[in-house]
Amino acid sequence: MLLGAAAIALFGGAQAVAQTSISPPNNAGVTSPREAFPVEPGSDYYLANYSAYEAYLKKIATQSDRMKLVDIGKSAEGRTQWMAIVSSPENLAKMDQYRGIAQRLAKAEGLTDEQAHQLANEGKAVVWIDAGLHATEVITAQSQIHVLYRMLTYNDAETKRILDNVIILFGHDNPDGMQLVADWYMQKADEKKREYNYIPRLYQKYIGHDNNRDSFMAQMPETENVNRQLFRVWYPQIIFNQHQTGPAGMVVFVPPFRDPFNYNYDPLLVTELDEVGATIHSRLIGEGKPGSGMRSAANYSTWHNGMERSISYFHNSIGLLTEIIGGPTPQKIPLIPDTQLPKGDEPMPVAPGAWHQSQSLEYQWSMDRAVLDYAARNRERLLFNIYRMGANGIARGNRDSWTIEPNDIDALKEAAKARQAPSAASEPSYDPRQRNAVDPALYETVLHDPAKRDPRGYVIPLDAQRDLPTTITFLNTLIKTGVDVLRATQPFTAGGKTYPAGSFVVKTAQAYRPHVLDMFEPQNHPNNLEYPGGPPKAPYDITGYNLSYQMGIGYDRILEGFDGQFEKVPDLLTAPAGHVIGTGKAGWLLRHEANNNFILTNRLLKAGVKVAWLKEPTSAEGKQFGAGAVWVPASAAAQKIIATSTQQLGVDAYAVAARPSGAAMPLKPVRVGLVDQYGGVIPSGWIRWLLEQYEFPFKVVYPQELDAGKLNAKYDVLVFADETVPPSNDSPYRGRTPNQPKPEDIPAEFRSWLGVISDARTVPQLSAFAKAGGTIVTIGSANRLGPLLGAPVQPALVRMVNGKPAPLDTKEFYIPGALIRADVDPNQPLAYGVPDKVDMFFDHSQSFNIAAGSPTAKRVSWYSDAKPLRSGWAMGQEKLQGTTAIVDVDLGKGKLFVVGPEVTQRAQPYVTFKFLFNGLLYGPAEAAAR
């Protein structure tokens, strides 16, 4: 067997590797990977695809009494997502009993410590180990094949201990990606020419690498399937999310992680996480497997909630991330001097030299065994501690409690400075360890300020929602992640206010309290600098993301204890059916605030029904409608669509007796071109998903088609997402320049996808398109096109270098993914339905200055506050004041919509989707009216 204990003799071509003494496997009738695949997975120049992996799972599931195979749902492309449950036959026979114990302990409801100890004694540890999330990180899926085989066939003492004490959930996160990447790699007969760096599209149908940023939102089916197992079915105490590639000059990154960690979760989680990480390092080093690093060896932190391993922290589960080197094409470990000196974060350096896929698989095996052996030896403690953390959350939610955030520490220091003299309780100490101490009385007055208590819960009344279907989507994101959502069956009083029956309630007295707080409360990221006075230390991913702001939810924070006649919502919600209100025969009015009304509008336009937007506010049936209300004149076709769609979509239509007065903007069916490029652009993929959800007709467009011109004959609108336009040298717009293959190196069917947006070839065609009546929407870094197209806008967040604008120094201005409050003019068509104050997602974005007196540019959204930060981290935020976020520009007969913030970021900021959706319909309507 290629990957057996005796097979690994040399390490890195220069260093012997000690092998753990593991008993040879007793096959016991289980087909080995070597027998099942045409080439053994883990061999050089070979990747097994998902079809072969799936077939192998089905085969061995029938051959071993240690494994049950479970279908956990379908992928985006319709493949079955399998989970292999591995344990002793005796445990599998009582699987539901042990799952019930894990659930009771994780939810921690109605248990005493004594009962929890008894359940922990009876239960089995549950560990999730996955593979394939990022499909080009191929080691994880190839490794899982061997790990499964070994766990089904090994009979050594450690394996038996693991099987007796642990239920292992082997999941696969991305079936579609494994199939795509493996097939692409294996297509060339000459194995030395095989590669997967140039796959033509994203390896998850819509979002590629961002499938590991979707965890708290669970928009993608694969994420929802995984979350269901983690937080609604199995409740594992350890969630091991395996990745690739490792740090340069090393083999693998293993926790502990660097700071900051998110202050919302239980501190016991942090210490357990470090404990398991240390166990993995010790196992590798004990087996003579050098090259593991931690903390400063990589940029990974535990702040952001959106990743599979990080959402676990907010659910009291130990989330592990490892990043290993390797691949089917042999690699070399480079010699990097700084990695050769042993230190705390890199205890055992690895020698440079050749590296093979099989070696990575042996490391994966050791890491999996370390985690599983830890779980087996600490079974009761893991089970009890997940209860303890859940019980802590329930207790904190039932009493006055405070979450101390970075801003509170700043306030404490300021309060201490304001004291004219130290009190008697805080006389100066000559102990140097106490020299930074302040008056302890400030603990209660500042850190435990009664006004800054954590809420006991949140009330979401239906009548306070601008967009009720979006609110239902928000509640479903909580339910998908195991949060308990309640619904009032009778009126109740909380915080001195009476709420009607039907209101939703989310209490913080629940085991998943950290996740509840993280979704409702704004993030307060610390001011994390490389050194005092130095540049900011880049966070891992983003810093501000709470969904209550991104989705525009109307809710009340209740600081006092409250109760009522509440029922737990048993499963995912559907929006209450909409209705046709009124008996008028002239037509129907729809509110512009609900995103789902764009679906209804698109259905009407597709059917050839007349639809218009009213330019002035109006009223009907006692309701006020802001500018942009949708007007649908009466017709049999419209009546049928409205009657069906209002019920499906949860929106109301108001039947009126006469056409509302005032000017209207007739809409027309639109032909949308969504710009992408070879390899796929993730922000474009998110927009693709949104356009499908909201039923906008569109076609994906590549640069060669743009460069060919005659665009008006095919498109009314072209959408350029963030990252679709490469940056120029020293450009004040961030972006990325794609690395693309030579045409002759890829199949002919994909060659038309090659190319990039260029100033010389593409911009003249875009200019001609707009001047002839086309609409162009640019978002984020794509706004570099604005000045090139002649728009009277210039980037505002710049400094002049050699007479040219360049990005601001990060010490001057730095907003790495945060929510920023902006002003909006909702009377402008591009902003119809948006509130006059809105939280924008801002990620290294640009802001703009409009040329004075320009007759062709209108300011749609802008920053009026010197401190617009609402959630996350911002340095130099005052530089935004007075600048413009979104601009509506006339270009000849057409339009350019310059949208600085990422208004569709990962399909999360529902409240700002309208800037895109409005632009898709408004631009063509305006052009048609000219």
Side-chain angles (χ1 to χ4, degrees), residues 558-804:
I558 310 300
L559 299 183
E560 305 290 344
F562 69 101
D563 217 330
Q565 296 296 314
F566 303 142
E567 62 179 9
K568 182 180 174 182
V569 175
D571 208 338
L572 297 182
L573 295 156
T574 55
H579 302 90
V580 176
I581 299 171
T583 59
K585 303 299 184 183
W588 301 268
L589 277 174
L590 309 171
R591 302 178 71 85
H592 209 110
E593 287 80 3
N595 285 341
N596 277 4
N597 272 328
F598 285 98
I599 302 176
L600 179 47
T601 296
N602 286 326
R603 291 176 181 178
L604 293 166
L605 291 172
K606 183 178 180 180
V609 172
K610 292 183 178 180
V611 184
W613 289 345
L614 301 179
K615 295 185 177 181
E616 303 295 333
T618 189
S619 62
E621 298 295 326
K623 296 286 185 180
Q624 296 298 313
F625 294 76
V630 183
W631 166 243
V632 186
S635 71
Q639 183 176 25
K640 182 178 180 180
I641 294 170
I642 287 174
T644 302
S645 296
T646 50
Q647 291 192 16
Q648 292 176 347
L649 302 174
V651 295
D652 294 329
Y654 295 82
V656 297
R659 180 199 183 281
S661 61
M665 179 190 303
L667 303 181
K668 54 169 281 188
V670 293
R671 301 166 301 166
V672 177
L674 176 62
V675 177
D676 208 332
Q677 62 192 22
Y678 186 93
V681 177
I682 291 172
S684 182
W686 278 113
I687 292 178
R688 177 186 170 197
W689 182 81
L690 279 176
L691 296 180
E692 289 184 8
Q693 304 310 302
Y694 289 91
E695 300 183 16
F696 281 94
F698 73 97
K699 178 178 176 291
V700 176
V701 185
Y702 293 93
Q704 289 183 45
E705 185 177 353
L706 296 177
D707 294 348
K710 299 181 180 180
L711 298 170
N712 301 83
K714 294 179 284 187
Y715 304 107
D716 300 299
V717 187
L718 293 172
V719 179
F720 291 81
D722 187 39
E723 298 185 12
T724 55
V725 178
S728 61
N729 293 335
D730 299 321
S731 170
Y733 299 93
R734 68 183 182 93
R736 69 183 184 96
T737 301
N739 183 21
Q740 296 189 347
K742 298 176 181 178
E744 61 270 23
D745 289 340
I746 61 173
E749 63 185 294
F750 299 115
R751 291 172 189 169
S752 64
W753 296 8
L754 294 172
V756 296
I757 307 300
S758 76
D759 297 3
R761 294 186 305 274
T762 315
V763 170
Q765 302 301 338
L766 297 178
S767 179
F769 169 73
K771 289 176 181 177
T775 295
I776 297 174
V777 182
T778 55
I779 301 173
S781 61
N783 287 306
R784 191 175 77 81
L785 292 174
L788 297 175
L789 291 170
V793 296
Q794 292 296 331
L797 304 172
V798 298
R799 57 195 172 99
M800 300 307 293
V801 177
N802 298 324
K804 295 182 179 180

Side-chain angles (χ1 to χ4, degrees), residues 69 104 125 130 133 149 193 202 224 228 277 346 436 497 521 645 684 709 721 729 788 834 841:
L69 191 60
R104 289 194 66 192
D130 67 9
L133 182 62
Y149 174 70
K193 293 183 178 180
L202 298 172
E224 184 175 354
R228 188 184 307 110
E346 301 168 30
N436 293 323
K497 181 178 176 180
E521 301 292 313
S645 296
S684 182
N729 293 335
L788 297 175
V834 181
F841 186 83

Side-chain angles (χ1 to χ4, degrees), residues 110-388:
L111 291 178
T112 64
D113 286 2
E114 182 179 358
Q115 291 170 326
H117 275 299
Q118 182 177 347
L119 287 170
N121 178 263
E122 296 173 9
K124 304 299 178 183
V126 182
V127 177
W128 165 274
I129 300 179
D130 67 9
L133 182 62
H134 290 156
T136 52
E137 300 172 7
V138 298
I139 293 298
T140 62
Q142 306 299 306
S143 168
Q144 191 181 81
I145 294 166
H146 285 278
V147 173
L148 276 166
Y149 174 70
R150 293 181 184 187
M151 291 305 299
L152 299 186
T153 59
Y154 278 19
N155 291 302
D156 58 285
E158 184 180 58
T159 299
K160 289 180 178 179
R161 180 172 60 250
I162 291 169
L163 293 171
D164 286 344
N165 288 281
V166 184
I167 295 173
I168 315 162
L169 311 176
F170 287 103
H172 197 292
D173 296 322
N174 185 7
D176 304 338
M178 183 178 180
Q179 188 77 22
L180 171 67
V181 171
D183 287 352
W184 185 264
Y185 181 82
M186 295 298 295
Q187 68 182 321
K188 293 182 179 178
D190 184 348
E191 63 182 24
K192 300 296 177 65
K193 293 183 178 180
R194 291 175 182 168
E195 53 78 30
Y196 49 81
N197 294 321
Y198 295 118
I199 59 173
R201 62 177 178 87
L202 298 172
Y203 52 66
Q204 193 277 349
K205 181 177 180 180
Y206 297 102
I207 62 172
H209 195 86
D210 264 7
N211 64 356
N212 198 31
R213 300 298 184 273
D214 185 44
S215 285
F216 65 71
M217 200 73 191
Q219 305 265 40
M220 297 298 114
E222 298 91 343
T223 317
E224 184 175 354
N225 296 338
V226 170
N227 278 356
R228 188 184 307 110
Q229 299 305 313
L230 300 183
F231 309 125
R232 303 179 69 194
V233 176
W234 270 105
Y235 307 89
Q237 298 88 50
I238 298 178
I239 295 171
F240 190 178
N241 181 216
Q242 302 183 131
H243 286 265
Q244 178 186 345
T245 297
M250 290 181 270
V251 176
V252 63
F253 173 88
V254 178
F257 299 100
R258 72 173 179 93
D259 285 334
F261 72 77
N262 192 299
Y263 44 70
N264 280 317
Y265 46 77
D266 196 291
L268 180 56
L269 187 282
V270 183
T271 56
E272 283 193 327
L273 171 59
D274 290 357
E275 194 175 308
V276 182
T279 298
I280 300 173
H281 284 284
S282 294
R283 176 97 177 206
L284 290 173
I285 293 169
E287 293 181 358
K289 293 184 171 78
S292 64
M294 66 191 89
R295 296 190 184 92
S296 63
N299 194 35
Y300 311 114
S301 69
T302 58
W303 178 263
H304 182 226
N305 196 328
M307 292 159 278
E308 184 181 299
R309 58 94 185 174
S310 64
I311 193 175
S312 64
Y313 310 141
F314 300 86
H315 291 74
N316 305 319
S317 295
I318 301 167
L320 301 171
L321 166 83
T322 55
E323 296 268 359
I324 196 166
I325 64 170
T329 301
Q331 302 176 0
K332 289 185 181 297
I333 297 177
L335 176 60
I336 298 178
D338 288 344
T339 67
Q340 291 300 309
L341 182 66
K343 45 186 174 288
D345 287 355
E346 301 168 30
M348 187 179 181
V350 62
W355 189 265
H356 297 272
Q357 185 174 207
S358 58
Q359 293 170 284
S360 293
L361 267 59
E362 289 301 322
Y363 269 61
Q364 289 287 152
W365 168 244
S366 296
M367 294 189 293
D368 287 354
R369 292 284 281 197
V371 171
L372 294 173
D373 184 55
Y374 175 91
R377 293 177 184 274
N378 293 275
R379 173 184 60 84
E380 286 191 51
R381 192 159 66 90
L382 283 169
L383 286 163
F384 183 80
N385 281 352
I386 199 170
Y387 154 77
R388 168 55 57 214

Side-chain angles (χ1 to χ4, degrees), residues 334-578:
L335 176 60
I336 298 178
D338 288 344
T339 67
Q340 291 300 309
L341 182 66
K343 45 186 174 288
D345 287 355
E346 301 168 30
M348 187 179 181
V350 62
W355 189 265
H356 297 272
Q357 185 174 207
S358 58
Q359 293 170 284
S360 293
L361 267 59
E362 289 301 322
Y363 269 61
Q364 289 287 152
W365 168 244
S366 296
M367 294 189 293
D368 287 354
R369 292 284 281 197
V371 171
L372 294 173
D373 184 55
Y374 175 91
R377 293 177 184 274
N378 293 275
R379 173 184 60 84
E380 286 191 51
R381 192 159 66 90
L382 283 169
L383 286 163
F384 183 80
N385 281 352
I386 199 170
Y387 154 77
R388 168 55 57 214
M389 289 184 277
N392 289 346
I394 293 171
R396 292 193 71 191
N398 278 324
R399 65 171 187 258
D400 285 347
S401 60
W402 288 260
T403 298
I404 297 177
E405 304 177 5
N407 282 353
D408 298 321
I409 301 303
D410 293 341
L412 177 63
K413 292 176 179 178
E414 289 300 316
K417 288 180 183 177
R419 294 292 174 101
Q420 297 299 314
S423 68
S426 59
E427 293 184 1
S429 170
Y430 295 101
D431 184 342
R433 295 170 296 178
Q434 304 295 324
R435 60 172 162 255
N436 293 323
V438 300
D439 186 347
L442 294 175
Y443 185 86
E444 294 298 329
T445 60
V446 178
L447 298 185
H448 277 195
D449 180 349
K452 293 184 177 181
R453 285 171 293 166
D454 293 334
R456 302 288 185 93
Y458 306 89
V459 178
I460 303 173
L462 301 188
D463 59 4
Q465 308 310 309
R466 289 176 58 89
D467 182 354
L468 183 55
T470 287
T471 299
I472 298 301
T473 299
F474 168 75
L475 292 169
N476 281 339
T477 66
L478 301 179
I479 294 168
K480 287 177 185 179
T481 55
V483 169
D484 293 333
V485 174
L486 309 176
R487 180 163 36 201
T489 59
Q490 298 291 331
F492 67 98
T493 299
K497 181 178 176 180
T498 299
Y499 295 93
S503 298
F504 290 101
V505 174
V506 181
K507 288 197 169 187
T508 57
Q510 56 180 296
Y512 293 164
R513 179 178 185 272
H515 189 75
V516 172
L517 293 177
D518 208 49
M519 293 296 97
F520 277 95
E521 301 292 313
Q523 282 74 40
N524 180 203
H525 193 279
N527 194 33
N528 195 18
L529 305 180
E530 294 284 358
Y531 50 86
K537 188 172 185 177
Y540 186 62
D541 208 71
I542 63 177
T543 65
Y545 50 82
N546 57 305
L547 279 182
S548 63
Y549 287 6
Q550 291 201 75
M551 300 183 78
I553 308 304
Y555 64 92
D556 291 330
R557 301 170 75 252
I558 310 300
L559 299 183
E560 305 290 344
F562 69 101
D563 217 330
Q565 296 296 314
F566 303 142
E567 62 179 9
K568 182 180 174 182
V569 175
D571 208 338
L572 297 182
L573 295 156
T574 55

Side-chain angles (χ1 to χ4, degrees), residues 885-930:
I886 299 176
V887 191
D888 177 344
V889 182
D890 293 330
L891 288 180
K893 296 179 182 179
K895 286 283 189 181
L896 169 67
F897 301 134
V898 177
V899 183
E902 290 79 3
V903 295
T904 58
Q905 161 76 5
R906 292 173 179 163
Q908 293 170 10
Y910 276 58
V911 73
T912 60
F913 290 171
K914 294 181 188 70
F915 289 116
L916 172 63
F917 296 165
N918 285 336
L920 298 180
L921 295 171
Y922 156 51
E926 185 81 357
R930 291 184 178 183

